[in-house]
Amino acid sequence: MGALPKQIAQAQTAAPAFAKILDGVKPADITSREALARLPVTRKSELLALQQAGRASDPFGGFSAIRFGPRMLRVFASPGTIYEPEGEARDYWRTARALHAAGFRSGELVHNCFSYHMTPAGAIMESGARALGCTVFAGGTGQTEQQIDAIADLRPAGYAGTPSFLKIILEKAAERNVALPSLTKALVSGEACPPSLRDWIGERGVTATQCYATADLGLIAYETSAREGLVLDESMIVEIVRPGTGDPVPEGEVGEVVVTTLNPDYPLIRFGTGDLSAVLPGRCPTGRTHTRIKGWLGRADQTTKVRGMFVHPGQVAGIVKRFPEAQRARLVVAGEMGEDRMTLKLECSAQPEGLAERVAEAVRELTKLRGDVELVAPGSLPNDGKVIEDARSYR
């Protein structure tokens, strides 16, 4: 929180897009999570739209605080297309801590199978490995046979890449009867790594550790040997908010991951990742003291088309805000295709007479669609971050 006012000021003065988004905000006033929560959330789709709109004068749409030249080492592209700058700071993406937690040490060789083509994934991992004092083999993606040959010849201490590609490498090496005894650890990311896959990899002599990173932000959180959630990186402020809103949820409740980075070169303020997670109470058994999250739990963008109309999580949140008795809501869309039925399930601390009818009127007003309302007791709805559930049959 001590660094936050300076970062707000940096975003306002060096990134023109945030000068508009944060117009009227006094940096000195933003010194707490409560104050931060009053600022608008900029979601990835909005960043893309603003980048595209401002690209004629600035390829980054006013979000980057650095320009082409010695302070900007490289530019990357993410699907959309969103362009991301890489600054000159050592361990710019801050992945050294995640690699260290996965067991990597100075003087080792890392076989990096994250993509080096347009996207920053390969560079994200390489910059951390180099900061840690490791040498990197730029394996990239694909070419499994050559990857196996390189691992057998160079004997790296570990692998970095997606867990699914590591599985392919290990399976193909077994088919060829090629031993890879040096490969004993891995830092995996880019997709889910369920316990079954981690155990499968472990049975073949490789200890896989996960991290959570994005092209916009770099490292967000990393797993430890305790295997109890992911510890948040120390160079950003993470909030978990109700999907479709900027409102923080209670600890333990699933919501969207919103990040404020302390990176002065690309100062994203309340950036909505679109990913779902939840805060894990308590401290990590390894002794790390920072907050933990449960890891990646799905996507927060649950916009659904009902009878030809789009319904957004923000509309559901707007309905909840109208009624002080309401706590959480879940809009369930069911029925065969072409016969959509919409039911709003609403957790209520009290159920005064006529409440369901008044909520139904709000549903119609905000969504322009008729829907049923079902009032349920607090705690009845699943804690999975879903605001809109598409339960239709698509057969």
Side-chain angles (χ1 to χ4, degrees):
M1 290 300 129
L4 184 55
K6 182 179 179 181
Q7 184 69 346
I8 298 291
Q10 168 70 358
Q12 289 176 319
T13 57
F18 274 111
K20 295 180 181 178
I21 293 169
L22 302 176
D23 183 37
V25 174
K26 296 180 180 179
D29 293 342
I30 314 301
T31 57
S32 67
R33 285 185 172 270
E34 292 73 22
L36 180 62
R38 289 193 287 270
L39 303 183
V41 172
T42 300
R43 291 186 163 81
K44 196 160 189 167
S45 58
E46 295 169 322
L47 185 147
L48 171 60
L50 290 168
Q51 259 206 13
Q52 291 173 333
R55 218 163 259 171
S57 57
D58 178 358
F60 303 101
F63 285 94
S64 176
I66 54 176
R67 303 291 179 263
F68 298 151
R71 289 188 60 200
M72 187 185 294
L73 301 186
R74 287 177 285 195
V75 177
F76 297 100
S78 292
T81 302
I82 295 175
Y83 294 106
E84 292 108 358
E86 180 185 11
E88 60 182 338
R90 180 174 178 269
D91 192 17
Y92 178 80
W93 310 95
R94 305 171 320 283
T95 49
R97 182 179 279 114
L99 284 157
H100 190 274
F104 290 90
R105 297 294 182 267
S106 178
E108 294 181 334
L109 175 65
V110 179
H111 191 96
N112 187 11
C113 283
F114 281 110
S115 175
Y116 279 85
H117 179 64
M118 290 195 182
T119 69
I124 285 174
M125 201 56 63
E126 179 167 317
S127 64
R130 292 174 63 184
L132 195 58
C134 296
T135 299
V136 177
F137 178 78
T141 58
Q143 300 175 299
T144 308
E145 300 276 353
Q146 291 173 269
Q147 303 275 10
I148 293 169
D149 291 341
I151 294 171
D153 292 341
L154 297 173
R155 298 182 295 279
Y159 162 98
T162 63
S164 60
F165 191 47
L166 175 57
K167 183 175 186 288
I168 290 170
I169 288 174
L170 294 174
E171 286 177 331
K172 194 66 176 179
E175 287 178 15
R176 292 178 55 193
N177 200 28
V178 176
L180 305 176
S182 72
L183 208 65
T184 60
K185 54 200 171 193
L187 182 61
V188 299
S189 191
E191 61 189 17
C193 184
S196 58
L197 178 54
R198 185 183 67 201
D199 293 345
W200 186 95
I201 293 170
E203 289 165 2
R204 283 145 186 86
V206 184
T207 300
T209 303
Q210 300 180 73
C211 74
Y212 168 34
T214 73
D216 322 270
L217 301 161
L219 182 70
I220 296 175
Y222 59 95
E223 192 176 26
T224 71
S225 57
R227 299 285 189 263
E228 293 185 12
L230 277 67
V231 179
L232 294 179
D233 179 62
E234 297 174 14
S235 297
M236 55 182 56
I237 299 166
V238 173
E239 303 169 273
I240 307 294
V241 308
R242 189 154 286 117
T245 77
D247 303 332
V249 300
E251 184 177 284
E253 185 173 323
V254 175
E256 182 183 4
V257 177
V258 169
V259 177
T260 297
T261 175
L262 299 179
N263 176 5
D265 296 341
Y266 199 44
L268 298 177
I269 307 298
R270 296 206 87 198
F271 179 71
T273 64
D275 294 327
L276 292 173
S277 192
V279 169
L280 188 65
R283 290 185 175 181
C284 182
T286 62
R288 290 173 174 83
T289 59
H290 202 11
T291 304
R292 297 174 299 163
I293 58 175
K294 291 183 179 179
W296 186 82
L297 300 177
R299 293 292 295 169
D301 185 7
Q302 299 156 28
T303 299
T304 304
K305 206 169 194 178
V306 183
R307 299 177 219 145
M309 298 282 289
F310 281 108
V311 181
H312 305 273
Q315 292 171 307
V316 179
I319 295 166
V320 174
K321 286 182 177 179
R322 290 192 177 192
F323 301 94
E325 305 91 346
Q327 296 179 351
R328 288 199 301 155
R330 187 184 189 100
L331 187 70
V332 180
V333 184
E336 301 291 333
M337 287 301 292
E339 298 181 2
D340 300 336
R341 298 191 308 274
M342 201 167 72
T343 302
L344 182 71
K345 296 186 177 183
L346 192 66
E347 289 186 0
C348 294
S349 56
Q351 299 184 13
E353 186 176 349
L355 177 61
E357 290 76 11
R358 288 186 285 117
V359 173
E361 290 175 6
V363 169
R364 186 177 182 187
E365 180 184 342
L366 290 178
T367 68
K368 311 305 179 188
L369 295 164
R370 291 183 183 273
D372 296 326
V373 174
E374 182 182 337
L375 305 181
V376 299
S380 300
L381 299 177
N383 181 23
D384 56 8
K386 278 192 178 181
V387 176
I388 300 176
E389 177 186 352
D390 190 344
R392 289 173 288 194
S393 173
Y394 289 89
R395 290 179 296 176

